[in-house]
């Protein structure tokens, strides 16, 4: 028995119970997919919020540096991310479904 996986599953269930984690569907492989409610996460687990936001920022910067996405800012400095042709090609070549809300460059 893998106690590490049990602890992770318990923590994920706790996050779901608290409304921090919201299950949204299943992959074709049967894995659950989810989204975070960042407002609740910030209130309940600010350290987890900071860690996830830092990692997301690092990954977005990396995708930008690779030419996979572009980033534009509006007058309120809200970022808008768009996928490039290179990013779209990568998704298609690797059999990754194109997210519905991802805009083209």
């Amino acid at each position: 028995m893998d106690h590490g996986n049990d602890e992770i599953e318990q923590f994920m269930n706790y996050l779901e119970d608290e409304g921090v984690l919201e299950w949204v569907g299943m992959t074709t492989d049967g894995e659950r997919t989810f989204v975070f409610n960042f407002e609740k996460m910030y209130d309940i687990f600010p350290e987890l919020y900071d860690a996830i936001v830092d990692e997301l920022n690092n990954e977005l910067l990396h995708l930008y540096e690779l030419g996979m996405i572009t980033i534009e800012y509006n007058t309120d400095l809200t970022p808008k991310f768009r996928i490039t042709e290179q990013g779209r090609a990568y998704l298609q070549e690797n059999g990754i479904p194109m997210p519905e809300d991802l805009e083209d460059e």
Side-chain angles (χ1 to χ4, degrees):
M1 178 177 234
D2 188 348
H3 292 291
N5 284 339
D6 289 343
E7 290 175 4
I8 291 171
E9 188 68 26
Q10 287 176 351
F11 185 63
M12 299 287 276
N13 289 336
Y14 175 73
L15 292 176
E16 184 178 14
D17 291 344
E18 293 295 318
V20 172
L21 197 60
E22 300 170 5
W23 302 110
V24 293
M26 300 281 270
T27 66
T28 55
D29 297 336
E31 295 288 324
R32 294 188 288 183
T33 57
F34 58 89
V35 295
F36 289 111
N37 180 322
F38 284 103
E39 288 179 22
K40 287 186 179 181
M41 182 189 297
Y42 182 78
D43 291 338
I44 297 170
F45 297 107
E47 308 85 18
L48 180 60
Y49 173 88
D50 289 342
I52 290 175
V53 169
D54 286 348
E55 186 61 27
L56 284 173
N57 286 336
N58 289 336
E59 290 301 320
L60 287 169
L61 179 59
H62 184 67
L63 289 172
Y64 173 79
E65 290 170 343
L66 292 173
M68 302 279 191
I69 63 170
T70 61
I71 305 170
E72 296 176 9
Y73 295 89
N74 66 15
T75 55
D76 297 329
L77 297 179
T78 301
K80 182 159 192 123
F81 302 95
R82 291 195 169 99
I83 190 165
T84 64
E85 284 300 319
Q86 182 180 347
R88 181 178 292 284
Y90 177 85
L91 292 177
Q92 290 173 343
E93 289 168 9
N94 291 283
I96 301 169
M98 181 72 168
E100 293 176 15
D101 59 347
L102 195 57
E103 295 186 22
D104 288 332
E105 180 180 46

